[in-house]
Amino acid sequence: MKAASKFLSAASAVTLSAAMVVPGALAVQFVATSAAEAAVVSRVEVSGNQRIDAETIRNYITIKPGKAFSSSDIDGAVKALFGTGLFSDVQINQVGSTLVVKVAEYQVVNQVLFQNNKKLKDNALAAAVQLKPRGTFSQATLDADVESVKAAYRRIGRDDVTVTTQVMQLGDNRVNVVFNIVEGDRTQIAAVNFVGNSAYSSRRLADIINTKRSSWLSFVLRDDVYDDDKLRADEELLRRFYYNHGYADFQVVSAVGELDSATNKYTVTITVQEGDRYTFGDVSVESSIPEVDGKSLESVIETHKGNVYNAKNVEDSIIALTEKVAGSGYAFAQVTPRGDRNFENHTISVVYTIDQGTKAYIERIEIRGNDRTRDYVIRREFDVSEGDAFNQVLIQRAKKRLENLNYFEKVDISTVPGSQPDQVVLVVDVVEKSTGEFSVGAGYSTGGDTAGPSVEGSVTERNFLGRGQFIKLSAGGGKNSRDYSLSFTEPYFLGRRIAAGFDIFKSTREYNNNYDSDTTGATIRFGLPITDSISTQLAYNISQEKYEVDDGCNPTDLDPSGTCDISTAILDGIEQSPWIKSSVSLGLVYNTIDDMKNPHEGIYATTTVEVAGLGGDAKFVKVTGRGSIYQTLSEQYDLVGLVSGGAGHVEGYGSDGLRIFDQFQSTDRMIRGFAYGGIGPVDPLTGDHLGGTTYFNASAEAQFPLPVIPESFGLRGAVFADAATLYGSKVTSVAQESTDMQLRASVGLGLMWASPFGPIRIDYAIPVKKEARDDVQEFNFGISTRF
């Protein structure tokens, strides 16, 4: 019992002691915790800093001597110092009454150097990396920069580039960063294959996309660079092409590029599913807005029953309806097309539904990525501004305009919520590209007043000083010609969508070693788009023409049988030198061509009226017109038909009448198979063709791809037939022959090459109807286009 009693007494003592000690311990812990939660220091000590002043570091933290702080204040101070991007490590501890801030500074980059790079210049690589002189250095940034350099080389077709780095310690916490580059060989594209296509040949589809098979021209064109983003863009090009030609169910199943490391070449395979071809069924407009009559709006839509389904026409109809309704006071109206497929008869009925739409306003337009291009150059392509009603159709139209400027590699427009529920912020992200160009070229032409070899050099800037202005300075010449010119265009004159500009030029010519001309002039022009396909241009032109007989001729001998074999009509024109021509001209252009470089469908028509006589010596009215219609004759074989025609007439007024130099001369644009100035009224004594006051011409042509030759070469063939007449003359100093309307005709073959130097064309034409005095030239070669 005594033992039990002693045990109980001991247990009671332990329990009592525990009861007294535990609260005491808790109290001590509470006091310690309270002290930590409300600490005060007398000073802040900074260590480890080499470049950054200690006081600067103290200013970044909120803990001050004599003021209480908590553990959350320490966490905030650590985050604040890390947030400066100046330190690789930060430690903050309390030692007695001192707060110790220990930092480790990032090293500072002294120089960023690139070695062994030839295909990409230092400035291009410097723009790609994040490490910059006088910036901080980190290994993570260096690793990311290595990948950025590799990506830059992949974009120019060098996938096997290797990049190593070296960090050179300079002392004082400074380093030089060196990128050692082995550029490797160009990665080529061995083949671009299409799978699943039957409506269009692989050759035709290869023309549409931007990824091209490598060829001997690839070193100039650089179109054989494989890039995943480029291939995704090609998918969109294919979709738009098929959607615009009736294939509404078209899909790109896959598009992949496989690299053969042994040959360093890609094989690109694009698998498509074309589906059936559709035509439009019933087309109507419905409106949920009581004041808007859908039936009355059907006249503005561009989709019509029976036509081949075309997604672009649907888009254009949405834009036309949106603008029409917005113009009637319904700024928030939304047009939504609803398509109803009939799988049996392959038609798509379309109903355009007009609803009031959600009311939203543009709070602001935020532009990013335009380091060079001024903000206003981008903003002016929008038909909306801050405070206007948000309209997705107008935003997409602005995006297309920005892409068409050719200032940017990429344009993205997105929206984020604004400060109010009915406000949105437009965010425009652009990636700029080079807009300057220096070129030197050589060519050869068999016709015109500059026949023979020629060279030309030019400097062009499409976005001058980031203001969106165009400027070009060029000089060139050949055996018998010299040309100099300066052109400038402001696309938004006085803040409006009016292109204003001027051209200054000087040209000299030598004609048949008999006489020379020297023309100096200038043009002031204004261009105004009326619709997306119609534009007009008004210009004032002034020039001075000087003519003189060559030294081998006796200028006082006006007898063509003497020392100068020149027509009296030409000599009369030379005697009137110098000749001032002051005129105004008005031109109108209609253009619906699908692709100006490789046209398959559409119309290009232009007409010009020029009136001379606003001062100066020349007094005439000249009217010219030309039109071309392209139509795909066979989609499977990529056969394109072209029908074109033109006409012109010039009429003099006043006492002086027309000079010979104001009349029309025949060219290969008028009819092929004949020499420049080779048809029309002729001087019977010298055989010189004197030009005419009236001409008509017509041409029919079929264009086709050349078999065997890869499409990446850009070669196409053509067969054609031309007809033309040039007649009438106001020259009275000589009796002339062939002044009446007389038809000439020719047939021939052509070879067209979309070369890196411009469109080159070779024609061989045989006259099948001609006059005795005509000058024949069956072979014609030159840089030209048929527009």
Side-chain angles (χ1 to χ4, degrees):
M1 290 295 291
K2 288 183 178 180
S5 178
K6 289 181 179 180
F7 174 78
L8 290 173
S9 297
S12 298
V14 170
T15 302
L16 181 60
S17 299
M20 296 176 64
V21 170
V22 170
L26 291 175
V28 171
Q29 180 66 34
F30 174 77
V31 171
T33 303
S34 299
E37 291 295 329
V40 177
V41 294
S42 61
R43 67 192 185 95
V44 177
E45 180 180 298
V46 178
S47 65
N49 57 312
Q50 298 180 30
R51 295 178 295 105
I52 311 301
D53 185 68
E55 190 61 31
T56 301
I57 295 175
R58 294 188 184 98
N59 291 333
Y60 276 113
I61 63 178
T62 59
I63 301 174
K64 304 298 180 184
K67 293 185 178 180
F69 66 92
S70 65
S71 59
S72 62
D73 292 323
I74 294 178
D75 290 340
V78 171
K79 291 178 181 178
L81 290 174
F82 271 122
T84 64
L86 300 173
F87 308 106
S88 60
D89 189 26
V90 177
Q91 297 179 15
I92 301 179
N93 297 291
Q94 181 182 354
V95 180
S97 63
T98 301
L99 187 71
V100 179
V101 181
K102 186 177 181 181
V103 297
E105 296 179 353
Y106 277 120
Q107 293 176 305
V108 177
V109 178
N110 180 58
Q111 285 183 299
V112 179
L113 305 172
F114 302 95
Q115 294 185 348
N116 303 318
N117 55 307
K118 297 179 180 178
K119 301 303 179 182
L120 286 177
K121 301 301 182 183
D122 285 1
N123 57 352
L125 293 175
V129 300
Q130 299 178 59
L131 291 175
K132 307 292 183 184
R134 296 183 299 279
T136 57
F137 170 83
S138 73
Q139 186 61 44
T141 304
L142 179 61
D143 294 340
D145 283 348
V146 168
E147 295 305 314
S148 297
V149 171
K150 290 181 178 179
Y153 272 95
R154 281 195 294 270
R155 285 192 291 270
I156 63 169
R158 294 184 178 270
D159 287 41
D160 60 343
V161 63
T162 59
V163 181
T164 58
T165 60
Q166 182 181 3
V167 180
M168 304 174 63
Q169 300 292 334
L170 302 179
D172 297 329
N173 212 27
R174 296 180 304 121
V175 295
N176 280 349
V177 179
V178 182
F179 292 87
N180 297 299
I181 300 169
V182 179
E183 295 180 321
D185 296 326
R186 287 191 72 242
T187 306
Q188 298 181 322
I189 297 179
V192 179
N193 301 320
F194 293 90
V195 178
N197 55 305
S198 59
Y200 296 95
S201 67
S202 296
R203 189 186 195 99
R204 177 69 179 110
L205 298 183
D207 283 340
I208 296 167
I209 64 175
N210 291 321
T211 301
K212 304 294 185 182
R213 172 185 172 187
S214 298
S215 68
W216 63 277
L217 281 174
S218 297
F219 78 98
V220 177
L221 298 175
R222 300 296 182 184
D223 56 1
D224 65 335
V225 175
Y226 177 80
D227 183 78
D228 285 332
D229 291 339
K230 186 178 179 181
L231 195 57
R232 300 290 83 79
D234 286 339
E235 291 182 31
E236 182 60 26
L237 290 175
L238 287 171
R239 276 190 286 268
R240 294 192 67 85
F241 173 77
Y242 271 94
Y243 291 164
N244 291 340
H245 290 80
Y247 295 88
D249 297 328
F250 173 81
Q251 295 181 38
V252 177
V253 179
S254 64
V256 295
E258 297 180 357
L259 178 64
D260 184 343
S261 57
T263 61
N264 197 30
K265 292 183 179 180
Y266 276 99
T267 297
V268 178
T269 303
I270 302 175
T271 303
V272 302
Q273 182 177 321
E274 293 178 327
D276 296 320
R277 195 182 196 199
Y278 291 84
T279 57
F280 282 111
D282 294 329
V283 180
S284 60
V285 180
E286 296 179 354
S287 173
S288 63
I289 303 175
E291 295 81 4
V292 176
D293 180 19
K295 193 72 176 177
S296 64
L297 296 173
E298 292 182 358
S299 60
V300 305
I301 61 179
E302 298 184 19
T303 52
H304 305 286
K305 184 176 182 178
N307 290 353
V308 174
Y309 175 80
N310 188 307
K312 184 178 183 302
N313 289 345
V314 175
E315 293 174 3
D316 292 343
S317 298
I318 294 172
I319 293 174
L321 288 170
T322 301
E323 291 181 339
K324 185 74 172 178
V325 176
S328 300
Y330 299 91
F332 300 100
Q334 181 176 351
V335 181
T336 305
R338 186 178 71 249
D340 183 14
R341 283 180 173 81
N342 187 318
F343 296 100
E344 294 182 0
N345 58 16
H346 299 129
T347 61
I348 298 178
S349 298
V350 181
V351 177
Y352 297 95
T353 303
I354 303 175
D355 299 313
Q356 180 59 53
T358 303
K359 290 186 177 182
Y361 298 88
I362 298 173
E363 181 174 341
R364 70 177 186 274
I365 300 176
E366 183 178 325
I367 302 172
R368 304 184 304 200
N370 56 321
D371 297 329
R372 183 167 179 270
T373 306
R374 311 292 178 94
D375 271 15
Y376 71 83
V377 173
I378 298 175
R379 289 177 180 273
R380 67 192 185 188
E381 298 301 330
F382 288 83
D383 291 327
V384 293
S385 58
E386 283 87 348
D388 288 347
F390 175 79
N391 189 305
Q392 186 63 46
V393 171
L394 299 182
I395 302 304
Q396 290 304 312
R397 169 181 279 190
K399 183 176 185 292
K400 290 183 179 179
R401 286 174 177 164
L402 289 172
E403 291 171 338
N404 292 337
L405 289 177
N406 201 23
Y407 301 163
F408 311 107
E409 292 182 0
K410 187 177 181 181
V411 178
D412 286 324
I413 301 179
S414 58
T415 60
V416 296
S419 59
Q420 301 295 327
D422 62 345
Q423 302 280 329
V424 296
V425 176
L426 285 184
V427 180
V428 184
D429 288 297
V430 298
V431 178
E432 294 182 311
K433 64 179 179 181
S434 175
T435 55
E437 181 181 291
F438 173 74
S439 63
V440 177
Y444 185 88
S445 176
T446 57
D449 57 0
T450 59
S454 62
V455 295
E456 181 183 10
S458 64
V459 178
T460 305
E461 174 54 63
R462 301 191 308 274
N463 187 12
F464 184 59
L465 299 178
R467 300 174 181 271
Q469 299 164 336
F470 174 91
I471 187 169
K472 180 178 181 179
L473 177 64
S474 64
K479 180 181 178 181
N480 300 312
S481 62
R482 300 288 185 276
D483 292 286
Y484 309 92
S485 67
L486 171 64
S487 296
F488 176 83
T489 302
E490 165 56 64
Y492 276 77
F493 183 62
L494 298 179
R496 300 184 179 273
R497 198 163 288 146
I498 300 175
F502 64 84
D503 306 293
I504 302 173
F505 62 89
K506 179 179 178 63
S507 62
T508 61
R509 299 288 185 269
E510 297 179 8
Y511 299 93
N512 301 322
N513 296 320
N514 288 327
Y515 65 98
D516 305 333
S517 70
D518 186 331
T519 304
T520 303
T523 296
I524 299 175
R525 45 186 165 75
F526 300 90
L528 174 66
I530 300 175
T531 67
D532 288 342
S533 55
I534 302 175
S535 61
T536 185
Q537 179 169 298
L538 176 67
Y540 171 73
N541 318 281
I542 186 168
S543 62
Q544 181 188 65
E545 302 173 21
K546 296 180 179 180
Y547 294 87
E548 63 179 24
V549 178
D550 286 351
D551 294 338
C553 294
N554 181 1
T556 60
D557 186 359
L558 303 184
D559 182 3
S561 61
T563 59
C564 293
D565 186 17
I566 308 176
S567 171
T568 303
I570 296 176
L571 288 172
D572 285 347
I574 293 174
E575 280 192 332
Q576 298 178 50
S577 174
W579 186 266
I580 303 295
K581 183 177 74 172
S582 174
S583 68
V584 292
S585 58
L586 178 64
L588 192 66
V589 176
Y590 177 74
N591 183 9
T592 61
I593 297 295
D594 57 345
D595 184 350
M596 294 296 288
K597 294 181 179 179
N598 186 19
H600 280 69
E601 293 179 355
I603 300 174
Y604 186 92
T606 178
T607 182
T608 303
V609 178
E610 181 181 9
V611 179
L614 303 178
D617 304 307
K619 289 181 173 57
F620 62 77
V621 178
K622 182 180 290 186
V623 181
T624 59
R626 180 179 178 83
S628 301
I629 303 175
Y630 286 84
Q631 181 65 49
T632 300
L633 304 179
S634 172
E635 295 171 343
Q636 177 65 30
Y637 299 104
D638 193 15
L639 182 63
V640 178
L642 164 64
V643 176
S644 62
H649 180 74
V650 58
E651 189 71 35
Y653 64 91
S655 58
D656 294 333
L658 280 177
R659 296 180 308 156
I660 183 175
F661 302 122
D662 295 329
Q663 298 192 145
F664 295 109
Q665 293 286 342
S666 65
T667 67
D668 64 310
R669 294 290 304 277
M670 187 181 297
I671 185 169
R672 288 163 284 193
F674 296 85
Y676 173 79
I679 68 173
V682 63
D683 185 334
L685 296 179
T686 63
D688 290 329
H689 286 87
L690 307 178
T693 58
T694 306
Y695 74 87
F696 296 96
N697 72 288
S699 178
E701 182 171 297
Q703 302 175 355
F704 49 86
L706 297 178
V708 181
I709 299 176
E711 73 283 342
S712 58
F713 280 38
L715 289 171
R716 292 178 65 85
V719 294
F720 60 84
D722 292 348
T725 181
L726 175 64
Y727 64 95
S729 178
K730 297 297 184 179
V731 176
T732 59
S733 57
V734 296
Q736 301 174 58
E737 297 178 354
S738 302
T739 57
D740 297 330
M741 180 187 292
Q742 296 171 325
L743 188 67
R744 280 83 167 176
S746 64
V747 295
L749 302 172
L751 179 66
M752 298 170 291
W753 179 29
S755 78
F757 321 105
I760 294 178
R761 180 162 182 137
I762 302 173
D763 289 316
Y764 180 78
I766 301 175
V768 295
K769 182 174 178 56
K770 64 185 183 68
E771 299 298 320
R773 289 279 194 169
D774 291 344
D775 295 332
V776 173
Q777 182 176 291
E778 297 176 344
F779 179 77
N780 185 75
F781 174 85
I783 297 179
S784 65
T785 177
R786 299 308 296 174
F787 294 118

